């Protein structure tokens, strides 16, 4: 776990909760049976509870084999107990971890024993929330705990781990420091009449501002890429019946997700599958073939297909090289959404289907049957997601972080426009700093914290 590199997180109304340090307990391992299961307690009175449960409190940070006993002395289990005295613990409070056998009954009894001894059940994310409130980690790091747990690909896990280690926060802090310096420089100018300010000084100020804007843009770019890794892209497969949309979905997913038959109108509902392309989650939606039909069920399917098209982040407009062209009304596709013409079944008609490609339109020739062209299709999907291959790791950023960085960028640009009005410039810089401070949680509102931590799992 990271040391304490940053000022401690604070928010109005939180200070009581912090000083209270009510003891909380939770099963920290997932539900179900496993080799081991962990019950964790944190807060006031942990020492006494530990002594009652274990006979005596183990030495700090030493894994000690102990009997875990019920109130009346009966044995619940035998396992390892580790005591982490405050402030050197996950939450910054006294923490006791009990590693028992991972059976639901054992863990439930242990948890009940902790509650009986005075702890209350922890809310989702409450341990991590305390870690934040006690300054063990900042808000961006706390969020990356959840991201690391939820990571769906190695790349996502790596970037979450980097954020958790504080790399993202350090970069944000470096920018805040540069902004503070610039602001001091600007404020020093406020008291002088315009004509007394040395033009060289004025140029130095502008150079600093431009350099700052560049580093802000760089971190924003990395954060955007991190967000791609986290959110991915939703892509709809659309086109006339029987062109091979479902076959393409199955080919991309590597398994038979959707039903494929030679009968036009096979797919009537949407079928979803999420694939990872270089770690980027691509959420594919296969839809009913677009055509006018009397069949009431298929009709609903076609309506749903149009809904999926309207909300997707990118579209693959599939047609068949082997069949008569069945044009799809691409005017009904939302403008500005990346779109590719995918000519499928090229194994049947290698030469056919090639058409003049309009500006900004991509044509991909593929075969769901043989796999031809699928690599290029995957590459197109990555590109549409906004992904660029990176040598270095990224930060696992959330929309909240991107918004704050964008805000800071806007204020910095406005500071540039303020030109000689130094007081306006200083104010914009102050607002920019404030936006950045929201990322690490140095200024944060209670409702924001509630929104962030409530999405955690219990015991974290
Ligand atoms: N030879 C060849 N046949 C294909 C290819 N892709 C799909 N097919 C065949 O085309 C037929 C229709 O495929 P589907 O994947 O069900 O087509 P669809 O676009 O999902 O059709 P609907 O759900 O009815 O809209 C099936 O018989 C597939 O086996 C391909 O690349 N090559
Ligand atoms: Mg289908």
């Amino acid at each position: 776990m990271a040391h304490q590199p940053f000022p401690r997180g604070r928010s109005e109304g939180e200070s009581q909760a912090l000083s209270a340090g009510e003891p909380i307990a939770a099963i920290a391992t997932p539900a179900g049976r496993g080799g081991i299961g962990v019950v964790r307690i944190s807060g006031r009175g942990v020492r006494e509870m530990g002594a009652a449960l274990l006979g005596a409190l183990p030495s700090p940070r030493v894994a000690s084999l102990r009997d875990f006993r019920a109130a009346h002395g009966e044995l619940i289990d035998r396992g390892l107990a580790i005591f982490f005295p405050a402030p050197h613990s996950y939450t910054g409070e006294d923490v006791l971890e009990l590693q028992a056998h991972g059976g639901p009954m054992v863990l439930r009894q242990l948890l009940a024993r902790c509650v009986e001894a005075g702890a209350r059940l922890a809310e989702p994310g409450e341990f991590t929330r305390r870690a934040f409130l006690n300054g063990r980690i900042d808000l961006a790091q706390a969020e990356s705990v959840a991201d690391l747990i939820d990571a769906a690909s190695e790349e996502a896990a790596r970037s979450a781990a980097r954020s958790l280690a504080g790399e993202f926060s350090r970069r944000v802090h470096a920018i805040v420091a540069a902004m503070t310096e610039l602001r001091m420089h600007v404020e020093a100018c406020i008291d002088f009449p315009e004509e007394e300010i040395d033009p060289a000084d004025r140029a130095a100020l502008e150079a600093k501002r431009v350099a700052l804007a560049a580093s802000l843009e760089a971190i924003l770019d990395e954060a955007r890429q991190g967000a791609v890794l986290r959110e991915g892209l939703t892509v709809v497969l659309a086109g006339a019946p029987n062109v091979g949309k479902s076959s393409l979905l199955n080919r991309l997913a590597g398994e038979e997700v959707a039903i494929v038959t030679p009968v036009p109108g096979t797919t009537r509902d949407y079928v979803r599958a999420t694939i990872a392309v270089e770690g980027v989650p691509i959420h594919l939606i296969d839809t009913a073939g677009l055509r006018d039909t009397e069949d009431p069920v298929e009709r609903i399917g076609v309506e749903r297909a149009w809904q999926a098209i309207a909300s997707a982040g990118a579209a693959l407009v599939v047609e068949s090289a082997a069949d008569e062209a069945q044009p799809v009304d691409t005017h009904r596709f939302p403008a500005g959404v990346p779109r590719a013409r995918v000519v499928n079944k090229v194994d049947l008609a290698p030469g056919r289907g090639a058409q003049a490609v309009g500006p900004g339109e991509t044509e991909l020739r593929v075969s769901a049957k043989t796999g031809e062209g699928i690599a290029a299709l995957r590459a197109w999907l990555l590109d549409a997601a906004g992904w660029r291959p990176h040598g270095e790791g990224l930060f696992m950023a959330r929309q909240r972080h991107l918004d704050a960085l964008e805000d800071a960028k806007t204020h910095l640009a406005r500071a540039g426009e303020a030109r000689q009005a130094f007081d306006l410039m200083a104010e914009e810089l102050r607002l920019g700093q404030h936006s950045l401070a929201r990322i690490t949680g140095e200024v944060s509102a209670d409702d924001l914290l509630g929104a962030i931590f409530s999405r955690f799992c219990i015991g974290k």
Side-chain angles (χ1 to χ4, degrees):
M1 188 48 53
H3 55 291
Q4 187 183 337
F6 312 121
R8 140 190 180 153
R10 237 168 284 118
S11 92
E12 300 89 48
E14 286 282 1
S15 47
Q16 289 103 330
L18 175 61
S19 58
E22 235 188 317
I24 50 170
I27 300 171
T29 39
R33 295 183 305 203
I36 53 171
V38 174
V39 169
R40 172 143 81 167
I41 6 177
S42 176
R44 232 180 324 108
V46 159
R47 291 165 193 253
E48 293 73 21
M49 280 185 243
L53 218 139
L54 306 168
L57 198 67
S59 312
R61 292 176 301 279
V62 175
S64 318
L65 186 63
R66 292 299 167 94
D67 289 343
F68 304 152
R69 292 195 181 274
H72 43 82
E74 208 176 315
L75 188 68
I76 299 173
D77 194 8
R78 191 150 204 260
L80 291 181
I82 312 177
F83 173 55
F84 302 92
H88 304 291
S89 70
Y90 184 70
T91 57
E93 304 171 328
D94 281 345
V95 169
L96 182 66
E97 271 185 23
L98 304 172
Q99 304 185 359
H101 291 98
M105 281 308 146
V106 176
L107 296 175
R108 225 174 287 168
Q109 283 182 72
L110 267 183
L111 183 62
R113 176 75 176 96
C114 295
V115 170
E116 196 182 55
R120 72 159 165 78
L121 297 180
E123 287 161 24
E126 202 170 2
F127 289 92
T128 308
R129 187 180 182 127
R130 287 191 180 186
F132 163 65
L133 293 171
N134 288 330
R136 299 290 295 163
I137 51 175
D138 67 32
L139 199 53
Q141 288 175 302
E143 288 169 309
S144 54
V145 171
D147 289 338
L148 185 57
I149 292 173
D150 293 339
S153 71
E154 251 178 65
E155 290 83 352
R158 267 202 296 271
S159 66
R162 277 165 48 93
S163 293
L164 179 55
E167 283 191 44
F168 181 54
S169 307
R170 266 190 286 279
R171 287 274 295 277
V172 172
H173 276 266
I175 292 183
V176 171
M179 227 177 216
T180 309
E181 199 201 308
L182 181 61
R183 189 174 143 201
M184 275 158 45
H185 195 157
V186 170
E187 282 180 353
C189 296
I190 293 179
D191 297 333
F192 293 95
E194 175 60 42
E195 52 287 359
E196 275 179 36
I197 291 170
D198 183 354
D201 200 30
R202 174 70 218 165
L205 204 88
E206 182 57 14
K208 264 191 207 167
R209 195 194 63 81
V210 169
L212 186 54
S215 41
L216 193 54
E217 192 57 50
I219 191 175
L220 190 54
D221 186 58
E222 281 176 67
R224 278 198 203 106
Q225 291 285 296
V228 168
L229 209 47
R230 188 185 140 79
E231 314 291 342
L233 179 71
T234 301
V235 180
V236 67
L237 287 147
N242 225 34
V243 292
K245 301 177 294 299
S246 301
S247 305
L248 275 172
L249 176 78
N250 292 347
R251 166 62 76 173
L252 286 165
E255 58 180 317
E256 302 300 303
V257 192
I259 300 171
V260 168
T261 74
V263 183
T266 301
T267 307
R268 297 171 158 220
D269 212 336
Y270 26 75
V271 182
R272 297 166 178 275
T274 295
I275 61 170
V277 184
E278 285 179 30
V280 177
I282 305 284
H283 314 286
L284 295 165
I285 305 178
D286 174 29
T287 57
L290 301 169
R291 66 168 169 186
D292 292 328
T293 166
E294 293 302 310
D295 183 315
V297 181
E298 194 182 347
R299 236 170 138 137
I300 299 173
V302 172
E303 267 168 42
R304 289 193 166 197
W306 282 113
Q307 284 165 12
I309 290 166
S311 58
L316 297 176
V317 186
V318 187
E319 54 192 81
S320 163
D323 306 306
E324 282 311 304
Q326 290 161 306
V328 165
D329 184 10
T330 47
H331 292 106
R332 284 187 66 185
F333 282 62
V337 170
R339 200 163 71 205
R341 262 186 64 209
V342 179
V343 180
N344 187 35
K345 307 195 192 183
V346 292
D347 56 296
L348 294 178
R352 275 179 60 193
Q355 280 183 19
V357 177
E361 206 187 31
T362 312
E363 186 191 88
L364 295 158
R365 300 178 58 76
V366 303
S367 166
K369 189 174 173 193
T370 65
E372 184 184 339
I374 297 297
L377 176 54
R378 291 162 70 93
W380 185 86
L381 290 171
L382 272 185
D383 192 52
W387 181 253
R388 291 185 315 276
H390 269 257
E392 251 183 276
L394 299 164
F395 306 120
M396 190 54 121
R398 299 181 169 211
Q399 194 56 46
R400 186 181 84 73
H401 305 151
L402 295 183
D403 293 346
L405 290 168
E406 292 280 4
D407 269 3
K409 187 179 146 181
T410 306
H411 289 302
L412 194 60
R414 286 202 199 131
E417 287 155 19
R419 299 264 151 220
Q420 315 298 350
F422 291 114
D423 48 349
L424 285 185
M425 204 168 165
E427 176 60 9
E428 290 295 344
L429 292 172
R430 192 187 66 79
L431 292 172
Q433 271 179 298
H434 200 266
S435 302
L436 292 175
R438 287 206 310 259
I439 296 180
T440 49
E442 278 138 66
V443 284
S444 53
D446 276 353
D447 50 353
L448 171 69
L449 296 188
I452 289 173
F453 290 106
S454 62
R455 281 188 224 124
F456 273 65
C457 42
I458 293 190
K460 200 63 230 174

